[in-house]
Amino acid sequence: MTKAISLKKCLFSYDKNTKLVINIDQLDIETGEKVFLYGPSGHGKSTLLNLTAGVLKANSGSVEVLGQELTKISQSKRDHLRGEKIGYIFQIFNLIPYLTVKENIVLPCMINKKRSDDDFHKQAEELIDSLGLREYIDKKVTDLSIGQQQRVAAARALIGNPQMIIADEPTSALDEKNTREFMELLMNVWEKKKFTLIFVSHDERLKSYFSRSISLPEINHHD
Amino acid sequence: MINFLTYKSISNRKFTSFLCVLSIALSVTLFLGIERIRNGARDGFTNTISKTDLIVGAKGGPLNLLLYTVFHIGGAVNNIKMKTYEEIKKNHQVEWTIPISLGDAYRGFRVVATDENFYEHYRFRGDRSVEMSEGRIPNDTFDVVIGSVVAKKFNHKVGDPIIISHGISAQAILSHDNTPFKIIGIMKPTSTPLDTGVYITLQGMEAIHFGWETGVPNGEKINPERFKKENIQISQLTSFMVKLKSRIAVLRMRRDIDNYMDEPIMAIIPALSLQEMWETIGYVEQILFLVSLCVLLVGVLSILISLYTSINERRREMAILRSLGASSRHIFFLLIYESSFLVLAGCILGVVSMYGLLFFVRPWLESNFSVYLPIEALSSTEWIYLGLIFVVGTLAGLIPAIKAYMNSLQDGLTIKI
């Protein structure tokens, strides 16, 4: 199996001569794997995600994502890679407040031509149905509850069939019931599409949903 | 995509965006409006009299000659002899002349004695001529035509008798009450000094001074026969206007008149003198221009402020766009696009309201300030101004755009709330 993410001897600090935020010897995630990345705050979680999403560039070592060596390609190529092949879900406030539910979901297809190869409107409708958002389709996202907003965020990450989904603590703002519902929906979609799923959380109880668990404090030997 | 997001983002912040557009529109309206009024005032002024090549009067100040002949302000130091006028009129270069004789007033309005040439040849604002709204042009000794302002002020109608006072002050000490005039015509409004004139014939001017040879009335009864037009000899004029057959001859003719041997007279070129005069009073114009420029600057600053203050609250939005594959450059252009859209909307609204305003203030400006403002399409200069406003306004968006760009580089996918 090819690797979705492969970090080797990866070092990163925000300024030269300041302390290292990322110092990872080896991290491999296989294609189609669903991985739980345990990351309490202060262990370079955001930085790692920014590195794998191609927003930041490692100082040294290698960061290979979906077959591309990110340290060797330009910023705009990294932006394209992220736009085309990666879906990203934030903790909260995932949505552009002035767009409707549907507009938010199809936004990646509007930004990236390559993600809109099929009829993305039809795809958006399907996602809306499968996530139970039909009645909110033309509502302003600010009228939705946090749980509903996170489902919209998931739909947006999933549209255009990205090869990888990065979820950055998507359940931390949800209550137990909403968290369970969200996790079940995510797992259902994963069963169908088998994308690479990297799920970051400080809530270790969610570990059970995943096939593998990586603890960030253990692999990141930062200063 | 950028169109769509810009549109949505602006309509999300409807009120602040509207205020921003409004302030741009206001400054555009003011700027273009002031420009128009400025140009209108200058054109109106320098076109108070047109077609006339030379104005001839007794030697003295050129400005004075212009003022009393055209604007009915001040008075002549000396008159000129009728013989001089006749001689210049006969010159083969001369196409037409308009004689002017001044000195009296009607309730504060100047009495201008002239002949039929005035009604035929006098031109202002390009090719507009004297027209009557009622009645006809004066023909007989005691016929009088009044300007529209005079008619309006005293509510005069054709047929009303009027008494002309001696001298030019509003409070008449001595009146020509033995020689009553009758209004036989009222001029159409022109928004030039013509409106404030009372026009009689040259013979009329002579006739009212019969028996005044000593400067005051001698109380003698005058034989009515003497008032017959054909019996009256014109002895002197105040000034006259000359139109030459060829413009090339103007300077030479002027020199000849200035060197006229029999009498000390001088000639001025009204177009030139008007231009010179405008320049001396034109500093007001430059102040106006500066003020409107400042107003514009404030308008442009309002874009900068409104976008800049929105940047921080939009950091989250920027991070989301970044996560969806937008580059920092995208973020930069999004803001530039927004500012240019706001300026564009402001410019359009500004031009529309400028025309609206023009439509309403036009009659008022024309009747009160003699500023004639035609409703014309945007001139090439105005297009250039609008272009510059657009560029400067868009550039004002550059500062917030750079700030957003830096933010998005720094924040990446980390949401700062």
Side-chain angles (χ1 to χ4, degrees):
Chain A
M1 242 210 229
T2 51
K3 290 183 175 62
I5 294 179
S6 173
L7 269 64
K8 282 191 191 75
K9 296 195 169 25
C10 176
L11 299 178
F12 180 84
S13 60
Y14 280 95
D15 286 301
K16 287 192 175 113
N17 311 322
T18 59
K19 61 175 189 172
L20 282 175
V21 184
I22 295 289
N23 179 7
I24 297 176
D25 237 20
Q26 179 93 31
L27 171 65
D28 289 307
I29 292 166
E30 305 294 325
T31 303
E33 208 178 354
K34 50 173 181 176
V35 175
F36 181 79
L37 190 63
Y38 170 67
S41 55
H43 287 277
K45 181 199 71 181
S46 300
T47 312
L48 178 62
L49 294 181
N50 275 320
L51 279 170
T52 49
V55 174
L56 295 175
K57 191 176 155 182
N59 300 6
S60 66
S62 126
V63 179
E64 209 180 303
V65 176
L66 301 171
Q68 298 250 37
E69 176 53 59
L70 295 189
T71 52
K72 295 204 174 98
I73 60 173
S74 68
Q75 179 64 57
S76 72
K77 281 210 176 113
R78 292 198 300 259
D79 290 331
H80 277 128
L81 176 73
R82 178 174 71 254
E84 280 164 34
K85 297 181 177 167
I86 302 175
Y88 204 100
I89 306 170
F90 290 107
Q91 205 166 348
I92 42 165
F93 304 123
N94 268 290
L95 309 173
I96 307 273
Y98 50 80
L99 300 180
T100 65
V101 168
K102 174 138 186 240
E103 285 165 348
N104 260 291
I105 292 174
V106 299
L107 201 55
C109 304
M110 298 178 77
I111 294 176
N112 309 281
K113 290 272 146 41
K114 286 198 183 145
R115 201 144 154 188
S116 57
D117 43 2
D118 302 337
D119 183 3
F120 62 84
H121 285 289
K122 201 175 132 231
Q123 216 182 31
E125 303 268 334
E126 281 168 17
L127 280 166
I128 284 164
D129 282 334
S130 66
L131 295 172
L133 295 164
R134 171 53 62 182
E135 58 183 305
Y136 305 105
I137 183 160
D138 288 320
K139 279 237 162 78
K140 275 185 76 173
V141 293
T142 41
D143 296 339
L144 271 60
S145 72
I146 300 278
Q148 287 163 336
Q149 286 187 26
Q150 286 306 66
R151 276 187 271 157
V152 175
R156 189 183 58 199
L158 289 164
I159 197 165
N161 295 314
Q163 295 175 21
M164 182 160 81
I165 301 278
I166 299 175
D168 180 6
E169 305 231 23
T171 57
S172 67
L174 303 183
D175 61 21
E176 217 164 307
K177 178 175 160 284
N178 272 312
T179 301
R180 203 169 51 244
E181 276 178 17
F182 181 83
M183 292 310 292
E184 274 159 16
L185 274 171
L186 193 62
M187 290 308 133
N188 279 341
V189 186
W190 184 83
E191 285 300 331
K192 274 185 246 161
K193 311 218 168 173
K194 299 284 184 193
F195 43 82
T196 309
L197 174 62
I198 296 154
F199 190 98
V200 184
S201 181
H202 64 272
D203 184 358
E204 283 191 281
R205 287 174 300 170
L206 299 173
K207 223 184 336 197
S208 57
Y209 288 99
F210 298 88
S211 49
R212 182 154 76 101
S213 166
I214 300 167
S215 167
L216 196 54
E218 280 171 28
I219 60 160
N220 187 13
H221 309 290
H222 62 93
D223 298 338
Chain B
M1 188 281 285
I2 265 193
N3 274 325
F4 173 75
L5 277 182
T6 307
Y7 165 73
K8 284 287 183 172
S9 149
I10 286 174
S11 59
N12 177 51
R13 284 170 299 116
K14 264 193 218 91
F15 191 65
T16 41
S17 300
F18 174 73
L19 286 182
C20 201
V21 167
L22 201 68
S23 83
I24 299 278
L26 263 177
S27 33
V28 166
T29 303
L30 268 175
F31 184 76
L32 292 185
I34 285 176
E35 276 300 287
R36 287 224 163 178
I37 290 169
R38 203 162 80 95
N39 291 333
R42 188 181 50 225
D43 289 350
F45 185 79
T46 50
N47 280 309
T48 311
I49 177 169
S50 46
K51 301 269 190 245
T52 298
D53 289 325
L54 292 168
I55 296 175
V56 183
K59 265 209 177 359
L63 191 61
N64 196 29
L65 175 55
L66 180 77
L67 284 176
Y68 65 69
T69 309
V70 179
F71 292 95
H72 309 154
I73 297 170
V77 184
N78 244 318
N79 280 349
I80 51 179
K81 290 191 200 109
M82 198 62 187
K83 197 176 126 265
T84 309
Y85 170 68
E86 298 290 353
E87 210 159 289
I88 290 168
K89 193 181 175 179
K90 275 202 287 268
N91 189 307
H92 68 279
Q93 299 266 30
V94 172
E95 191 181 327
W96 51 252
T97 55
I98 299 171
I100 302 281
S101 188
L102 303 162
D104 288 322
Y106 167 65
R107 289 158 90 171
F109 291 102
R110 292 300 176 86
V111 171
V112 181
T114 182
D115 66 7
E116 60 287 347
N117 278 3
F118 172 75
Y119 302 95
E120 196 181 329
H121 297 302
Y122 189 87
R123 292 290 183 275
F124 59 94
R125 207 167 286 142
D127 203 30
R128 285 174 63 177
S129 58
V130 176
E131 285 173 64
M132 295 292 156
S133 68
E134 269 182 81
R136 54 177 176 82
I137 65 171
N139 183 34
D140 211 4
T141 312
F142 294 117
D143 286 353
V144 58
V145 160
I146 55 175
S148 58
V149 171
V150 183
K152 207 173 156 192
K153 179 148 186 196
F154 303 120
N155 215 2
H156 277 322
K157 293 194 182 48
V158 171
D160 287 357
I162 64 171
I163 304 246
I164 287 163
S165 54
H166 189 67
I168 55 178
S169 77
Q171 272 76 42
I173 300 162
L174 296 167
S175 291
H176 297 292
D177 42 11
N178 57 341
T179 49
F181 280 76
K182 202 170 95 185
I183 296 170
I184 54 122
I186 294 167
M187 281 187 194
K188 277 189 182 166
T190 63
S191 304
T192 70
L194 286 180
D195 295 348
T196 57
V198 173
Y199 301 87
I200 60 172
T201 57
L202 292 171
Q203 287 79 11
M205 184 63 102
E206 289 288 332
I208 52 179
H209 294 97
F210 285 163
W212 284 60
E213 286 78 5
T214 53
V216 287
N218 55 20
E220 272 174 35
K221 267 264 183 241
I222 293 155
N223 180 2
E225 273 299 299
R226 278 189 70 190
F227 290 130
K228 287 233 173 97
K229 199 181 175 187
E230 51 277 16
N231 293 339
I232 299 170
Q233 277 297 311
I234 316 289
S235 56
Q236 53 185 13
L237 291 175
T238 311
S239 60
F240 58 93
M241 300 167 192
V242 180
K243 162 86 173 145
L244 300 179
K245 284 171 187 151
S246 152
R247 292 208 100 158
I248 303 161
V250 170
L251 286 174
R252 196 196 169 134
M253 189 72 182
R254 182 188 182 183
R255 200 168 55 237
D256 289 347
I257 290 171
D258 285 345
N259 297 329
Y260 193 73
M261 294 304 276
D262 297 346
E263 200 181 6
I265 55 169
M266 63 180 292
I268 55 163
I269 300 169
L272 218 63
S273 301
L274 282 166
Q275 194 71 45
E276 276 169 20
M277 197 172 147
W278 182 255
E279 272 157 30
T280 59
I281 56 173
Y283 66 93
V284 179
E285 182 190 35
Q286 271 142 30
I287 290 169
L288 269 181
F289 183 74
L290 279 179
V291 169
S292 57
L293 216 58
C294 291
V295 169
L296 203 60
L297 197 72
V298 172
V300 167
L301 272 176
S302 79
I303 291 197
L304 199 158
I305 293 163
S306 124
L307 277 181
Y308 198 87
T309 49
S310 77
I311 295 285
N312 264 333
E313 52 192 81
R314 291 173 72 189
R315 276 180 110 138
R316 199 200 318 156
E317 181 188 327
M318 303 303 171
I320 294 168
L321 290 173
R322 289 279 279 147
S323 82
L324 300 178
S327 62
S328 295
R329 261 198 355 263
H330 271 117
I331 307 289
F332 177 81
F333 282 117
L334 195 66
L335 279 151
I336 288 286
Y337 215 77
E338 241 183 85
S339 69
S340 63
F341 181 85
L342 291 175
V343 193
L344 188 69
C347 283
I348 292 170
L349 187 66
V351 168
V352 169
S353 63
M354 187 267 287
Y355 277 115
L357 202 69
L358 207 62
F359 182 77
F360 285 110
V361 301
R362 213 163 74 103
W364 179 73
L365 277 176
E366 187 165 353
S367 60
N368 287 305
F369 298 101
S370 299
V371 175
Y372 175 71
L373 294 174
I375 295 196
E376 285 169 335
L378 293 172
S379 69
S380 55
T381 326
E382 285 173 319
W383 277 113
I384 291 170
Y385 283 142
L386 284 173
L388 283 175
I389 293 168
F390 180 71
V391 170
V392 172
T394 305
L395 287 181
L398 209 59
I399 296 165
I402 289 169
K403 167 89 170 150
Y405 177 84
M406 304 297 274
N407 280 351
S408 85
L409 277 184
Q410 192 197 331
D411 294 356
L413 305 180
T414 315
I415 288 182
K416 297 263 160 66
I417 299 159

